[in-house]
Amino acid sequence: MTIQRMPILQLLSLLLDYPKQPLVDAKAELLAIVADAAIASELKQSLSAFINSRTSGELMDWQSEYDSLFERGRSLSLLIFEHIHGESRDRGQAMVNLLAQYREAGLDIGVKELPDYLPLYLEFLSTQGEQNAQIGLEEIAPVLAVLLCRLQQRESDYAGIFATLVALSAAEVDLADIKSQIASEKRDDTPKELDKVWEEEMVSFIGNEQTSPACGSGNKPTDGQRRDQFIPLSTELLGSEEAGQQLYKAAAAKRA
C-alpha cells in the first residue's frame, strides 16, 4: 500500500473502510501521517491509539467488530443519505445527483459502492483542496456528530475518527444535546430488529447504468480529477428534482 503524503482525510477514509491486511501492514506509515496532520494533539493521540490497537490485534477480530458496528442496523450506517433521507424517494434522487457530481469531477466509482458511502465521499473530498474539503465536511457535520455520539455511547474507539471529522468540519454542533436525544434510543442491531430489516423490501437507488462496465472497477479519484469542479454537497440541492441540471450548470460556470 503506497500512502506517502496522504492527506488526513484519505487516511480517515481508509480507517473507516472495511479493514484488510494492507492496512495492517501500513501501520508505520499511518502513524507518521497522523503525527504530521494539522489536528489537535488529543485527536492525534486518539487516532494513534486506534491504529496501534487495531493493527496489533487479529485482523479477523477487527473485521468482525466492523461488521457488528456498521453492517448491522441503520443507526451506525456509513451511508450518508441513510441518515438524511431514510427510505424516502428523496434519497434516490440524492444518490443520482451525487453520482453525477462525482462523474463531473472525474471520479469513477466501482459497481459495488453506493455514492454516499462515507469512506468514498472522504476519498473524494481529499482530492478537492483544504477549503473545499472543509465545506464538504461541514455539509454532513450533523450526520458525523450523531455517529460520533452513538459510537461514544457504545464505547467504541471508532469515535475518535468521527471526532476528528467533526473537528475538521469546523461546524458548530451541540454534542451534549445530541447525546441527550439519543440516550433513550432503541438499539437496532439486535436479532429481533435485524429480522424486521430483512423483511423489508430492498430498494434500488441507482439506475442500471451503475452496473455498466463503464463505471469502472475502482473507487478512487482519477489522476485527472480537477479541484475546480468541486461542488459542495448540499442536502437541499441533492434532494431536489432539478438538482442534476443545477450541478452541471454550476460546474460549467466554474470552468468558464
Side-chain angles (χ1 to χ4, degrees):
M1 175 180 291
T2 303
I3 55 176
Q4 295 180 353
R5 297 186 299 278
M6 176 188 299
I8 186 64
L9 277 183
Q10 195 173 4
L11 168 66
L12 297 175
S13 170
L14 281 174
L15 294 180
L16 280 178
D17 206 352
Y18 186 76
K20 297 180 180 179
Q21 189 61 46
L23 189 61
V24 175
D25 297 338
K27 175 182 177 179
E29 296 172 272
L30 298 173
L31 291 172
I33 293 167
V34 172
D36 291 339
I39 56 177
S41 59
E42 60 267 24
L43 295 175
K44 289 186 178 183
Q45 293 174 6
S46 177
L47 291 177
S48 296
F50 177 92
I51 294 169
N52 278 317
S53 173
R54 295 295 180 168
T55 57
S56 299
E58 292 292 332
L59 177 59
M60 291 186 65
D61 291 340
W62 185 2
Q63 293 171 335
S64 177
E65 184 176 346
Y66 182 94
D67 285 337
S68 296
L69 280 174
F70 302 117
E71 303 294 340
R72 298 177 186 174
R74 293 171 175 168
S75 62
L76 290 177
S77 172
L78 294 180
L79 298 177
I80 300 169
F81 294 141
E82 180 90 47
H83 305 281
I84 298 174
H85 299 298
E87 300 299 335
S88 70
R89 292 184 178 180
D90 288 341
R91 184 181 179 190
Q93 186 63 46
M95 289 280 204
V96 171
N97 294 327
L98 181 55
L99 181 60
Q101 180 180 346
Y102 285 164
R103 288 175 174 169
E104 184 69 15
L107 175 64
D108 200 21
I109 72 173
V111 297
K112 295 182 180 180
E113 220 56 272
L114 291 175
D116 66 333
Y117 181 52
L118 182 57
L120 174 61
Y121 186 60
L122 296 178
E123 176 75 22
F124 167 64
L125 291 183
S126 74
T127 70
Q128 300 302 304
E130 183 177 345
Q131 183 177 6
N132 286 330
Q134 185 270 318
I135 293 173
L137 287 175
E138 186 177 14
E139 289 282 344
I140 62 169
V143 173
L144 298 174
V146 170
L147 291 172
L148 164 60
C149 291
R150 286 173 175 161
L151 286 165
Q152 289 178 333
Q153 188 181 60
R154 299 192 189 189
E155 300 182 346
S156 170
D157 57 356
Y158 271 97
I161 298 176
F162 284 88
T164 304
L165 289 171
V166 171
L168 290 172
S169 77
E172 295 184 6
V173 292
D174 190 338
L175 295 180
D177 181 59
I178 294 174
K179 290 177 181 178
S180 175
Q181 292 184 44
I182 69 171
S184 59
E185 273 187 345
K186 185 178 180 181
R187 291 280 291 261
D188 65 353
D189 59 344
T190 62
K192 181 178 179 180
E193 293 301 316
L194 289 173
D195 285 342
K196 292 181 180 179
V197 174
W198 282 110
E199 291 172 358
E200 295 179 0
E201 180 180 359
M202 294 188 65
V203 180
S204 175
F205 298 102
I206 303 300
N208 292 334
E209 62 176 357
Q210 176 80 359
T211 61
S212 168
C215 291
S217 58
N219 63 350
K220 305 295 183 183
T222 62
D223 292 337
Q225 186 181 46
R226 300 210 301 273
R227 293 182 178 181
D228 64 348
Q229 291 183 318
F230 174 76
I231 306 163
L233 175 62
S234 169
T235 55
E236 293 182 1
L237 176 61
L238 291 171
S240 69
E241 293 291 336
E242 300 177 355
Q245 294 182 357
Q246 292 182 43
L247 285 170
Y248 287 111
K249 290 180 180 179
K254 276 182 168 288
R255 294 195 299 271

